[in-house]
Amino acid sequence: MSGFILFFLDSVNLLVFAYFVALNGVYLVVTFVAFRALAQHARRMQVHSPHDVRWVRAAPPVTMIVPLYNEVDGAVQTARALLAQEYPRFEIILVDDGSEDGTGEALIDEFGFEPSARVQTADLPCVPVEAVWHTPRHPQLTLLTKAKSGKPDAQNAALNYCQTPLFCVVDGDTLVEREGLLRLSRPFLEDRTNIATGGVLRILNDCVTDAGFLEEVRFPRSLLARFQVLEYIRGFLVGRIGWAKLDMLLIISGAFGMFRREAVVRAGGFSHESIGEDMELVVRLHMLHRREKIPYRVSFVPDPVAWTTVPETISMLFRQRSRWHRGLIQSLQLHGEAFFNPRYGRIGLGAFVHYGVLERWGPIVEVVGYVAFLVAALLGRLSLAFALAFLALAIGFGALLSLLALLMEELTFRRYDSWRDLGRLLLVALLENFGYRQMVAFMRASGSIAELRGIKDRW
Amino acid sequence: MPDALLRDPRWGLALAVVVGVGLVLTATALGLAALLLAVRYRSRRSERMFERLRSTWELAVVRIVNGRGEARELWELVAPNAHAIVLPYLLRFAERLRDEPLERLRVAAQPFLEPAVQDLSNRLPEVRAGAVRTLEVLGGRAHLPALRSALYDPAPLVAITAAQALSRFDDPGLAGEIVEHVDEWTTWDTRFLGSILATPQPMGLAVLRSVLLDPRAPPRRVAVAATALRLSGDTEASGAATAALRSGRFQEREPIAELLRLLAVTGDPANAETVRRFLGSPDEAIRSQATFAFGRLAEEPCSELMSAAGDPSPWVALNAVRALAHREARAELSRLAASERSGAPFARQVLDREAG
């Protein structure tokens, strides 16, 4: 028996080691691909300013869709800030999804909304809109009010009233840079087959804002938020750019992303079947276009285009990461036929394998690995030297990937400009390996378990 | 137990590998951290240096642009090793200028353009495109041959940037060359390409009109030319657009739709009959553009527009009521809005927005 246990323990540790090598190997490859893509983008941006009149003149009309639920504190400010976007032709559809804190009333009072009519251009499934509002003061602004039914439903409702070739989803608490739409629309001009574009999200915590605009970038005070700054740099500046360059981008953040209306309507809009409706939509777009052999592209813009607030308490972070991981699992399960399926090209053979194996099971493997590691050490099965060496390897690799991401940030956007902030980022790159990463792995593993148990999540 | 493991040569090897890789990674991470700090330091130093230089140049540049200074004033201030630095600075300045101030700045920039000329042969397409842009803005006609060569660059980014540059010159030969390259830029948005080709220059407009009349011109080239003419506001384009539509040679949606959009902007009542033929097109996009154009051009379009307002396509119906609104046909719109017909919501939307 004890022999079996030891054998089991050794097998687990070997599996964890193999997972570690595979996952970080992929991250390393993606990092180097992102490096080249970012350098190319930086050079390209020096050729054409986003305000180049020929680009601006050609920019297609865009509708910004803003689902709102209990956002009374920020909805008005968000709407005002969006109205000031530097973009030639755009509309904004705000959707009050059954808020209970007076969000809709606040908007109506502030902007002078009146009951109005607006034509539906699609018939995506959603709870019926109770009223359409329009304001003579801001012809671009429309408000939809409806019963609470969740973010995907609210987005579908707005999409049914979208009358422009492109639309952009914006979270109610997201701050969009004034040039955000200009930058995000560019891939649609460079490539007619482009159907979706994501942009970099940055962290707004403790930044100085004024009337919905970013005035000064500041490093967050909260340690938890600081860890997330580094995570977002890694995830967006490296991860998304790299995956997009490899034509394997499966996620465009629901906080800010631009889509071709026709493609999304044809795909059926946002799904109610996944709490990660943003990822699920992109995966579905991939599947549909590959199945029907329609040329298409899903792209990513490295420029910081939007800022969002991140959790500063462990409980809120737990809820967010658990939810994200469940969204990942649901999106992959809904389209499981793509897994290792050559019919879906590099999406099936590359992206789905990575996300379906390494990202999906990774947190559980990681948590089990920590436990097995400890047990093995306690049983004397693991030599101290080996344990320390492996730990150093894991920490070294983690820090390496973070530092590569920081180097890319430093060579391009450098939004944290002071020496002190750079020092803090370097410290965070080291410290996150001593507890934060493990905690997030645990949170994601909890999401896996919750998904297995079928626990429902909310808006 | 652990010692037993360590005595096993396989575990010993594994340990050595792990330790070795760990050390390499740690050293690399430390090296990266040091590199980060060095990059930051270097960036800061470059920025400070640039600020110092900029402050010495700025007064001279402003005086030159305002016609109160000579180009030589700037030449004396810029050291030979600073030519590559002054160029981006002058470029950003020049992008805000027009006409005579721009010409004065171009004269002052001439001695510094050598790095840009060399960059035309850089292996990176973005660098080549940047050089084209620099020579377009700061070089002017003197660098026309180089810009013309860039039009044939295999990288679309470079060629399109060159097309943008060349479209500023009123030269029918150039316009013709640019238009022929449109066929190669298959992935780029039609409206964007039209935006590049749009020009106020008479000879350029004549070339674009000739594309519409050329029976051998590919459909996409026609679509881009029509877009360019529309964005240029060319009032003489309606004849060519009408002839192209009447020829019946297009099956594709794009050229027909763009020609109809062009007629909507530049046409007159005499063109309405040409447009009418497309009101019943099975293609939604063509029907939509035809509806809008017809609404703009025809003298008495209301019955056709009221019929189009009931079209199963929301885009056709929307364009129909918008055309009615444009004609200030409020009575018809109000009747439609009050009715049970399928076009009623469209009329209500347009009336609501109009009332606002």
Side-chain angles (χ1 to χ4, degrees), chain A residues 204-420:
Chain A
L204 190 58
N205 298 48
D206 296 311
C207 290
V208 178
T209 62
D210 181 24
F213 293 105
L214 183 67
E215 296 289 324
E216 184 186 339
V217 175
R218 283 196 187 161
F219 206 59
R221 286 190 293 263
S222 141
L223 183 61
L224 210 59
R226 289 179 178 185
F227 283 132
Q228 291 172 81
V229 166
L230 185 58
E231 258 188 320
Y232 272 53
I233 289 175
R234 251 197 339 260
F236 280 95
L237 208 60
V238 176
R240 306 257 169 120
I241 293 172
W243 286 114
K245 186 69 179 172
L246 292 166
D247 283 332
M248 290 196 268
L249 183 65
L250 293 189
I251 307 171
I252 285 176
S253 174
F256 194 57
M258 191 177 281
F259 298 83
R260 210 175 276 282
R261 191 201 73 91
E262 190 186 343
V264 173
V265 168
R266 210 161 70 82
F270 292 90
S271 169
H272 298 71
E273 292 179 65
S274 167
I275 55 174
E277 79 284 344
D278 44 4
M279 177 178 178
E280 194 282 332
L281 174 64
V282 177
V283 171
R284 186 157 24 100
L285 287 170
H286 277 295
M287 306 276 291
L288 182 73
H289 284 76
R290 285 184 177 266
R291 244 195 327 262
E292 299 184 8
K293 294 186 172 31
I294 302 170
Y296 78 104
R297 186 169 156 242
V298 174
S299 58
F300 194 82
V301 168
D303 310 281
V305 290
W307 298 71
T308 190
T309 311
V310 297
E312 290 188 347
T313 64
I314 291 180
S315 60
M316 289 204 63
L317 183 68
F318 182 98
R319 200 158 163 238
Q320 184 195 64
R321 296 311 168 93
S322 169
R323 177 190 169 84
W324 283 2
H325 200 67
R326 292 184 67 190
L328 170 87
I329 294 170
Q330 288 169 3
S331 301
L332 295 173
Q333 276 178 335
L334 281 168
H335 303 285
E337 66 173 282
F339 184 80
F340 217 67
N341 187 341
R343 185 183 180 196
Y344 296 99
R346 53 180 69 194
I347 295 298
L349 298 173
F352 257 74
V353 172
H354 169 77
Y355 281 96
V357 175
L358 297 176
E359 293 287 349
R360 175 184 175 164
W361 295 107
I364 289 182
V365 169
E366 207 171 322
V367 169
V368 166
Y370 294 135
V371 172
F373 203 75
L374 272 168
V375 170
L378 287 169
L379 289 178
R381 185 65 181 168
L382 207 60
S383 82
L384 186 61
F386 189 91
L388 287 174
F390 186 73
L391 209 59
L393 179 70
I395 291 170
F397 215 113
L400 176 74
L401 291 174
S402 294
L403 288 169
L404 281 171
L406 287 180
L407 183 62
M408 287 162 67
E409 164 75 1
E410 188 63 26
L411 290 169
T412 51
F413 305 109
R414 213 175 87 200
R415 297 307 286 256
Y416 299 102
D417 204 30
S418 72
W419 282 105
R420 182 183 286 187

Side-chain angles (χ1 to χ4, degrees), chain B residues 89-216:
Chain B
Y89 168 69
L90 293 177
L91 179 63
R92 279 196 296 276
F93 215 105
E95 282 171 348
R96 291 174 276 175
L97 301 176
R98 296 280 180 274
D99 304 323
E100 281 182 34
L102 177 59
E103 283 308 315
R104 287 188 212 113
L105 189 60
R106 277 180 174 161
V107 168
Q110 290 311 304
F112 310 123
L113 292 178
E114 187 54 33
V117 173
Q118 286 173 5
D119 278 345
L120 285 174
S121 6
N122 192 284
R123 65 177 182 84
L124 295 169
E126 296 83 20
V127 175
R128 295 201 300 276
V132 168
R133 177 108 179 94
T134 301
L135 293 175
E136 171 205 346
V137 176
L138 290 174
R141 216 168 247 284
H143 293 270
L144 196 52
L147 295 175
R148 205 169 189 158
S149 298
L151 190 59
Y152 295 86
D153 195 291
L157 177 65
V158 183
I160 285 178
T161 308
Q164 279 182 238
L166 293 168
S167 66
R168 291 177 186 264
F169 301 100
D170 196 19
D171 182 324
L174 281 177
E177 269 185 83
I178 296 169
V179 161
E180 278 174 23
H181 277 82
V182 163
D183 305 334
E184 296 163 15
W185 304 326
T186 52
T187 62
W188 291 69
D189 182 75
T190 302
R191 188 180 165 88
F192 173 67
L193 293 177
S195 177
I196 293 173
L197 296 179
T199 174
Q201 314 290 358
M203 286 193 272
L205 291 173
V207 168
L208 290 170
R209 279 182 233 128
S210 71
V211 171
L212 304 193
L213 295 169
D214 182 358
R216 294 162 308 172

Side-chain angles (χ1 to χ4, degrees), chain B residues 310-328:
Chain B
D311 194 288
S313 162
W315 312 110
V316 177
L318 209 45
N319 265 355
V321 297
R322 281 176 176 156
L324 282 168
H326 180 75
R327 301 192 74 93
E328 297 180 351

Side-chain angles (χ1 to χ4, degrees), chain B residues 19-78:
Chain B
V19 168
V21 171
L23 282 173
V24 167
L25 284 175
T26 306
T28 308
L30 286 171
L32 272 175
L35 180 61
L36 256 168
L37 294 168
V39 166
R40 174 67 66 98
Y41 173 75
R42 189 165 161 254
S43 302
R44 283 286 182 89
R45 207 180 64 165
S46 298
E47 284 164 11
R48 279 197 301 271
M49 182 185 71
F50 178 74
E51 263 314 298
R52 267 199 316 271
L53 290 170
R54 190 192 63 78
S55 60
T56 61
W57 300 331
E58 191 161 29
L59 187 59
V61 170
V62 170
R63 282 170 51 80
I64 290 166
V65 161
N66 290 335
R68 287 200 289 268
E70 299 287 329
R72 193 179 308 110
E73 288 178 34
L74 183 65
W75 299 343
E76 288 166 0
L77 287 172
V78 180

Side-chain angles (χ1 to χ4, degrees), chain A residues 141-159:
Chain A
L141 209 46
T142 298
L143 170 68
L144 307 177
T145 49
K146 60 191 285 293
K148 180 185 167 189
S149 38
K151 191 176 167 193
D153 195 274
Q155 288 173 168
N156 279 347
L159 207 42

